[in-house]
Amino acid sequence: MAADHTRTAIITAAERLYAERGFADVTMRDIVAAADVNLAAVNYHFGSKDELIAELFVTRSLATNRERLRELKAAEEAGDGRADIHAIFAALVGPTLRGCLGPEKQRSDAARFMIRASIESVPPIRKIKNREVDHLKRFAAAMRRSLPDQDPADIFWALHFALAMAHQTIRDSERLTRMSDGLCDLNDVQAITDRVVAVAVMALTGRAARAPAKEPAKTKARA
Amino acid sequence: MAADHTRTAIITAAERLYAERGFADVTMRDIVAAADVNLAAVNYHFGSKDELIAELFVTRSLATNRERLRELKAAEEAGDGRADIHAIFAALVGPTLRGCLGPEKQRSDAARFMIRASIESVPPIRKIKNREVDHLKRFAAAMRRSLPDQDPADIFWALHFALAMAHQTIRDSERLTRMSDGLCDLNDVQAITDRVVAVAVMALTGRAARAPAKEPAKTKARA
DNA sequence: TTGCATTTCAAACGCGTGTATGAAACTATC
DNA sequence: GATAGTTTCATACACGCGTTTGAAATGCAA
């Protein structure tokens, strides 16, 4: 119904403002001003500020995970159950990278909101975030199917590094641009994705190049 | 003089609290309670909360950079001006990793404070942070000396990725532990450093494994 | 001790925040 | 068109924040 107009306006405005300026700097008065609704509307429709944030996060989290898994599934089907490892990483970092970088026009507030959420870690979100681990485990499982002989720990490390690289590239693209005097092209999202994926794959499979540990290092007793 | 006792107590307490809980959650009342001094002492000795944060950041930033550059210099001297690329990356990420991970007992509030500062990006810090770019450029220069034939853009990307991996490992070590069900050992700091360095080096030198771009991609017109 | 500058202290101020209130406006059903 | 339920609105409340204040305490030279 059109009765949801106020609700929708709040969600849209809040997501955009949070994406742009972070949770700390955006007040409820900012949100209702941007949404052109009354101050009390947020509490009426969502209960509290925290519940608004939680709802935004849950909605977007599900959507992001859905898209990632859709790409993952397509990759696995293309490989008869064993996806190409590049495709797995691409499914992991591609959606977020595309939503946060690239031409201004096609960036999504949704993706940038999720990055904010992963950075600022505000209380209402922190409690929900635990499920993300389960989501990532599905990618780890796909990677293990793709490379059955790989050391499981290396799989988790590579997954962790892939997210780290994608994440930081989004967060700190400005520093990279300034550091490289514009040499690193932040507009070619496909090239960035390819680069992150390539490094992640090397992190996983290119162990030959890794410097050997000086000593066996204390192996965590497991018996 | 002993007259600095209050000042010192505030700095110590603030650094610890900020490192543990972040800027957003720590109030001046928390700080003065932990330091066991009067509320007005912060404003008397530092002027304002922001100036306290700025002083903490500047002090620690200089110290961190100094240690990094000390290791870098040692590496360059060991190689007669051309440091081994592994050593350069180790100088970049080693100090911070050692200060933030590893046995509880030897973690430093200083290193963890710097990580907080790089995460939360509170106004008083944001203004100072620009100098970090100059600091990183010195590492990029060392890398170029180490590998003169390397594509400059790749050098910046590898530097960026190295920081990303180290940074995220510190920030989100808990997620990695949970995701891997404890398989990834976060206590062996040396092994972690070696791993990050190895991947960073592969990101820089192992380009053969990278998937070729589908098309030339729009080259940013520079003329 | 006296006198003056420095430092500490309890208390309060002003401001911005999220939230609550109760009346007014709107919507839909009979 | 009267009525009950829903939604909007202006306004106010309570609270926590960083900061200020002015007096008391302390340090220190003469």
Side-chain angles (χ1 to χ4, degrees):
Chain A
M1 299 302 167
D4 294 351
H5 167 257
T6 300
R7 235 186 105 90
T8 307
I10 291 172
I11 289 178
T12 306
E15 191 165 54
R16 199 194 80 233
L17 289 178
Y18 283 144
E20 286 173 357
R21 293 160 39 192
F23 297 105
D25 288 353
V26 176
T27 72
M28 307 203 58
R29 285 166 175 82
D30 292 333
I31 295 172
V32 298
D36 198 34
V37 301
N38 187 269
L39 174 58
V42 174
N43 291 279
Y44 178 79
H45 286 281
F46 297 91
S48 68
K49 181 191 183 181
D50 281 6
E51 288 173 272
L52 166 62
I53 293 177
E55 176 167 333
L56 285 174
F57 181 73
V58 168
T59 304
R60 288 310 180 187
S61 188
L62 293 175
T64 301
N65 291 355
R66 210 178 308 129
E67 188 176 351
R68 280 178 171 170
L69 289 176
R70 192 181 56 74
E71 289 195 22
L72 175 63
K73 193 181 170 197
E76 292 213 299
E77 286 174 354
D80 286 326
R82 286 194 186 184
D84 175 48
I85 187 67
H86 293 83
I88 297 177
F89 280 119
L92 185 68
V93 302
T96 304
L97 282 172
R98 282 195 301 276
C100 293
L101 296 177
E104 187 91 33
K105 210 60 186 179
Q106 70 188 49
R107 294 186 201 173
S108 77
D109 292 334
R112 289 156 69 215
F113 171 86
M114 290 302 289
I115 287 294
R116 281 289 181 192
S118 76
I119 292 174
E120 296 200 9
S121 187
V122 68
I125 288 183
R126 209 173 310 157
K127 297 166 188 166
I128 311 172
K129 238 195 210 165
N130 298 343
R131 302 176 212 170
E132 195 192 5
V133 170
D134 296 323
H135 178 248
L136 295 180
K137 279 185 177 177
R138 301 177 68 165
F139 275 85
M143 289 163 68
R144 204 169 310 183
R145 282 193 295 274
S146 175
L147 303 171
D149 299 330
Q150 205 72 32
D151 179 0
D154 286 345
I155 286 182
F156 292 113
W157 274 108
L159 202 159
H160 170 75
F161 284 161
L163 289 172
M165 290 184 284
H167 190 115
Q168 174 108 325
T169 301
I170 292 165
R171 280 210 328 137
D172 242 347
S173 61
E174 191 196 328
R175 186 180 72 181
L176 179 57
T177 301
R178 288 225 312 280
M179 181 172 69
S180 69
D181 291 318
L183 206 62
C184 296
D185 183 6
L186 270 305
N187 291 317
D188 190 345
V189 182
Q190 186 58 50
I192 293 173
T193 306
D194 289 344
R195 188 183 286 265
V196 169
V197 168
V199 175
V201 171
M202 281 191 289
L204 185 50
T205 63
R207 277 194 299 166
R210 188 181 309 153
K214 306 262 170 66
E215 46 185 348
K218 55 186 172 202
T219 52
K220 186 191 280 178
R222 77 166 61 175
Chain B
M1 299 300 166
D4 293 352
H5 167 258
T6 300
R7 236 187 104 90
T8 308
I10 291 172
I11 289 178
T12 306
E15 191 165 53
R16 198 193 82 233
L17 289 178
Y18 283 143
E20 286 174 355
R21 293 160 40 192
F23 296 105
D25 287 353
V26 175
T27 72
M28 306 203 59
R29 286 168 174 84
D30 291 332
I31 295 172
V32 299
D36 199 32
V37 301
N38 187 268
L39 174 60
V42 174
N43 291 280
Y44 178 80
H45 285 283
F46 297 89
S48 69
K49 181 192 184 182
D50 281 6
E51 288 173 272
L52 166 62
I53 293 177
E55 177 166 332
L56 284 174
F57 181 73
V58 168
T59 303
R60 288 310 180 189
S61 186
L62 292 175
T64 301
N65 291 355
R66 210 180 305 128
E67 187 176 351
R68 280 177 171 170
L69 289 176
R70 192 181 56 74
E71 289 194 23
L72 176 63
K73 193 181 169 193
E76 291 214 299
E77 285 173 353
D80 287 325
R82 286 196 187 183
D84 174 47
I85 188 67
H86 293 82
I88 297 177
F89 280 119
L92 184 69
V93 302
T96 303
L97 282 172
R98 282 195 300 277
C100 294
L101 296 176
E104 187 90 33
K105 208 60 186 178
Q106 69 189 47
R107 293 186 203 173
S108 77
D109 292 334
R112 287 156 67 217
F113 171 85
M114 289 302 289
I115 288 294
R116 283 288 183 190
S118 76
I119 294 174
E120 296 201 10
S121 186
V122 70
I125 288 182
R126 210 172 309 158
K127 296 168 188 168
I128 311 171
K129 234 191 209 169
N130 298 341
R131 302 176 212 171
E132 195 192 6
V133 171
D134 295 324
H135 178 249
L136 295 180
K137 280 185 177 177
R138 300 177 68 164
F139 275 84
M143 290 163 69
R144 204 169 311 184
R145 283 193 294 275
S146 174
L147 302 172
D149 298 330
Q150 204 72 32
D151 179 0
D154 286 345
I155 286 182
F156 291 113
W157 274 109
L159 202 160
H160 170 75
F161 284 160
L163 289 172
M165 289 185 284
H167 191 115
Q168 173 108 323
T169 302
I170 292 165
R171 280 212 323 141
D172 242 346
S173 61
E174 191 196 330
R175 187 180 70 181
L176 179 56
T177 301
R178 288 225 313 281
M179 180 172 69
S180 69
D181 291 318
L183 205 63
C184 296
D185 184 5
L186 270 306
N187 292 317
D188 190 345
V189 182
Q190 185 60 49
I192 293 173
T193 306
D194 289 344
R195 187 183 286 267
V196 169
V197 167
V199 175
V201 171
M202 282 190 288
L204 185 50
T205 64
R207 274 193 300 164
R210 188 180 311 155
K214 306 260 171 66
E215 46 185 349
K218 57 187 170 203
T219 51
K220 187 192 280 178
R222 75 167 63 176

